[in-house]
Amino acid sequence: MPSVFTARALLLDMDGTLVDSDAVVERCWSRWAVRQGLDPAAVLRVVHGRQGHATMAELLPHRPMAQNYAENAVMLAEETADLEGVVPVPGAPAFLAALTGHPHALVTSAGEQLALARMGAAGLPLPPVRVTAERVGAGKPDPEGFLKGAAELGFAPEECLVFEDAEVGIAAARAAGMRVVGVGPRAAAFGPSAHAASLEDVVVAAAGGVLTVTVG
């Protein structure tokens, strides 16, 4: 049975939700793992949805955070320059087209330049409201980004519906008091309010300032 939600605004993660950037993430973070003497597969299980310095802190807990921030700046530049294989998630162009003129925001752990680069490489329009890594004090799974996105759009948390693919993002949405649609193969395991294999399984209709979202 399809799941049907009504909302006043949608809050959208980027990587894994709108943009398939797995190829870049795997290349960059696998190289980083090898440099640190870590198992790349173990690193890739942790990295999705987090800010880079938070991933480093999780994997190397005894390392000074200043080193993580410095290394993350290098990593961000590397990821921003590497756009090979960055494509839209199936259904993303039509999904975003359906949101044109309706309240929605991008809430991503990526920095502004990385978000611009990846959305551009995928040929996707940028939402007018964007909450990127530079704009929060605490990244996902902290709810700050989603709460900030809702506030900037002018809606209460319970009026918003989140789209996410990663465990930390789904946890952040829940902590913000929001319903969340899990997108893609990773998301189903993390207990979202509903799950879509891709955005091809999501239909958005708008009437009277209310968005009706059908999943499945």
Side-chain angles (χ1 to χ4, degrees):
M1 283 287 292
S3 299
V4 180
F5 301 90
T6 56
R8 301 292 301 281
L10 303 188
L11 303 177
L12 315 173
D13 175 53
M14 182 181 70
D15 291 303
T17 301
L18 298 174
V19 173
D20 181 351
S21 56
D22 280 2
V24 178
V25 171
E26 289 176 11
R27 280 196 296 273
C28 292
W29 282 95
S30 292
R31 287 195 296 265
W32 180 85
V34 170
R35 291 196 297 269
Q36 306 304 321
L38 299 172
D39 174 19
V43 170
L44 293 174
R45 284 195 292 271
V46 174
V47 69
H48 294 291
R50 299 175 190 266
Q51 292 190 34
H53 60 77
T55 294
M56 294 171 186
E58 177 83 10
L59 293 165
L60 300 171
H62 303 298
R63 196 165 78 159
M65 278 306 297
Q67 188 175 347
N68 293 337
Y69 283 115
E71 208 164 272
N72 185 50
V74 175
M75 179 69 75
L76 280 173
E78 188 178 336
E79 288 189 273
T80 302
D82 184 355
L83 298 173
E84 185 180 348
V86 174
V87 295
V89 165
F95 174 73
L96 286 172
L99 297 183
T100 302
H102 304 294
H104 65 290
L106 192 71
V107 181
T108 175
S109 296
E112 177 80 7
Q113 291 306 309
L114 183 57
L116 291 172
R118 285 188 176 162
M119 290 290 281
L124 296 174
L126 279 162
V129 172
R130 299 186 293 276
V131 181
T132 55
E134 300 91 339
R135 302 200 51 230
V136 296
K140 301 169 185 176
D142 192 281
E144 180 184 353
F146 287 124
L147 292 171
K148 184 165 283 188
E152 292 198 13
L153 291 171
F155 296 102
E158 61 270 18
E159 296 179 294
C160 298
L161 179 64
V162 172
F163 282 75
E164 260 286 359
D165 74 301
E167 182 176 15
V168 292
I170 290 171
R174 280 200 186 128
M178 299 175 183
R179 298 156 298 160
V180 54
V181 175
V183 179
R186 280 191 291 267
F190 307 130
S193 309
H195 178 252
S198 77
L199 291 173
E200 292 176 313
D201 295 336
V202 178
V203 176
V204 180
V210 175
L211 297 167
T212 300
V213 179
T214 304
V215 181

